Amino acid sequence: MNAKPDFVRIGGLGAVPDALKGAIVAIGNFDGCHRGHQHVFAAARKLAEENSVPCVVLTFEPHPRDVFAPKPMLYRLTDGDAKAELVKALGFDGIAVMEFSRDLAGVEAPDFVARYLIDALDVSAVVVGGDFHFGKGRAGTPGFLKEQGQARGFAVEVVDMLDEGAEPVSSSRVRAALEAGDVAGANALLGYHHFFKGTVVRGDQRGRELGYPTANFAVPETCGLAQGVYAVKARLDGVVFDGVAAYGKPMFDNTKPPFETFIFDFDRDIYGQELEVALLGFIRGQMTFNGLDGLIAQMDHDSTQARIITAQARPLSKLDAALGFVSA
C-alpha cells in the first residue's frame, strides 16, 4: 500500500505541483474552518476517496472584506497558517492560499474558472458552500459554477449551510461568542478549541515581579477577543503545557495589550520563539484592584481554576484530537 504523500502548501496557483493536479477542490474563505466549513470539507474528502484523487483546499488571504475596507477591520479567526494546520489535520493533501486583491476580485467569473480551476489545477470536481461567490461583481454563483462544470467537464457539489439553533453555523457567530467571552460556545461551533499564535516578546516584566512571569505576544489590532482571564493550553516546540492567560491590562496601560500566558511549572527563556495557545475556558472578565495584594490573590485563584479546567479538558472531535492541544 502506498504511503500518503506529504501535505503540500502553496502560496498561489502559479506553479501547482503535479501531485495536486486533478484533485477535488474545496473553495472558500473558510475563516475559522468551523463545523459549517467542515461540512464542505467532508463532502470534498468523500468525493476524493471515491475517485482515488487528491483533495485540496483553495482559500484566500487577506479576507476580501479587508481588501475593500480603508484598513483591516475584520476580527479574523484563522490566518493562512492556522487554516493550513486545520486542513492538514482534517486529512487533506494540500492547501493553496491565493492572495486576494482588487485585481483578483476584478477577474470575470468565466476567466477565473478557465485560468485557475482548469489551467492551473485541472480540477476533477469542485465543492463549495451554498453561499460561495467569486469573480467580478460576485457573478460566480454556485449555479454558474455548476453550468461551467457541465460545459468544461468537472463535477460540482454545492453543500447547504449547517444549521444549529436558529441560524447556520458561521464565522460571525464564532466571533460574536469570543467577543462575549463565551469560549465554550465558540469552541462548540468550531468543533475544536480555538487557537492562535505569536512570537514571544519582552514585556514590562510586571508579571515576574508579581510572581507570575508571562510569555507575551502581540495580537492584531482587529482582535475582538473579550478581555479577561483564560484557561489555556500552550504549545512550544511541539510540547504542550497547561497555563492561565490574560488579555487586557485595566490597571496599567491598556493600549494594544499583548496576550500574556503564564505557563505552569515552567522556567525557560523563550523570547523570540513562537508560542501557540488554545483557549479552553473563560475564567473571568478583567477587574481592577485597590492594590497589588488583591491582584495577586485573584491571580492565585485564577490559576487554581485554570488548573482544574485544563486537567478536565478533553478533545471536542477527531479534528480537535488531531490538532494535539488536548488529549483524550
Side-chain angles (χ1 to χ4, degrees):
M1 184 176 180
N2 294 330
K4 187 178 177 64
D6 291 338
F7 181 81
V8 177
R9 176 179 175 179
I10 55 176
L13 299 179
V16 177
D18 289 342
L20 297 187
K21 291 190 175 182
I24 308 296
V25 181
I27 311 176
N29 289 314
F30 300 132
D31 188 28
C33 295
H34 55 61
R35 286 175 40 243
H37 298 144
Q38 291 164 37
H39 203 41
V40 175
F41 296 154
R45 288 288 316 284
K46 183 173 183 291
L47 274 177
E49 290 170 4
E50 290 172 351
N51 291 277
S52 300
V53 296
C55 198
V56 175
V57 164
L58 172 60
T59 191
F60 309 92
E61 291 290 336
H63 196 284
R65 289 190 196 175
D66 282 343
V67 170
F68 291 100
K71 65 177 183 177
M73 58 183 295
L74 185 66
Y75 173 21
R76 294 296 308 282
L77 301 171
T78 44
D79 60 13
D81 289 343
K83 286 182 190 177
E85 190 170 340
L86 285 156
V87 167
K88 181 179 180 180
L90 283 164
F92 278 77
D93 296 292
I95 184 171
V97 182
M98 289 189 71
E99 180 183 359
F100 191 87
S101 64
R102 289 178 180 269
D103 287 343
L104 182 62
V107 174
E108 299 285 354
D111 292 339
F112 184 98
V113 172
R115 191 182 308 175
Y116 301 120
L117 303 188
I118 302 295
D119 294 344
L121 286 165
D122 189 24
V123 296
S124 295
V126 170
V127 182
V128 296
D131 60 344
F132 176 70
H133 291 72
F134 66 97
K136 185 176 181 179
R138 292 169 55 85
T141 64
F144 171 82
L145 196 55
K146 283 189 172 183
E147 292 172 1
Q148 289 287 298
Q150 290 174 349
R152 294 172 174 268
F154 62 89
V156 175
E157 183 169 344
V158 179
V159 180
D160 291 334
M161 297 184 75
L162 179 65
D163 288 328
E164 184 168 282
E167 55 185 314
V169 175
S170 66
S171 303
S172 59
R173 283 184 68 184
V174 178
R175 291 187 196 103
L178 291 171
E179 288 167 349
D182 182 9
V183 170
N187 288 345
L189 292 167
L190 291 168
Y192 63 88
H193 290 89
H194 178 54
F195 66 92
F196 47 93
K197 66 183 178 182
T199 300
V200 178
V201 298
R202 192 174 298 276
D204 55 22
Q205 305 295 300
R206 190 171 282 112
R208 185 172 299 279
E209 294 171 3
L210 299 175
Y212 283 89
T214 56
N216 304 344
F217 60 78
V219 295
E221 284 189 58
T222 53
C223 178
L225 187 67
Q227 292 198 4
V229 177
Y230 295 83
V232 301
K233 293 279 188 177
R235 181 156 58 204
L236 181 74
D237 293 332
V239 180
V240 177
F241 304 89
D242 295 345
V244 62
Y247 180 50
K249 301 165 84 73
M251 291 182 65
F252 308 101
D253 180 8
N254 205 27
T255 304
K256 297 182 182 178
F259 193 85
E260 305 176 271
T261 302
F262 174 64
I263 304 173
F264 297 143
D265 310 314
F266 183 89
D267 185 18
R268 282 167 49 192
D269 182 345
I270 57 173
Y271 294 123
Q273 296 188 52
E274 188 175 83
L275 186 70
E276 203 168 18
V277 174
L279 303 183
L280 271 61
F282 185 73
I283 295 175
R284 64 170 174 86
Q286 285 291 11
M287 302 164 59
T288 57
F289 302 86
N290 292 327
L292 294 182
D293 288 345
L295 173 59
I296 293 170
Q298 183 63 53
M299 292 167 70
D300 291 342
H301 178 74
D302 296 338
S303 293
T304 298
Q305 293 298 110
R307 286 183 183 273
I308 293 170
I309 293 170
T310 55
Q312 294 177 343
R314 296 294 181 271
L316 301 175
S317 63
K318 289 182 179 179
L319 168 59
D320 202 27
L323 289 170
F325 288 103
V326 181
S327 57

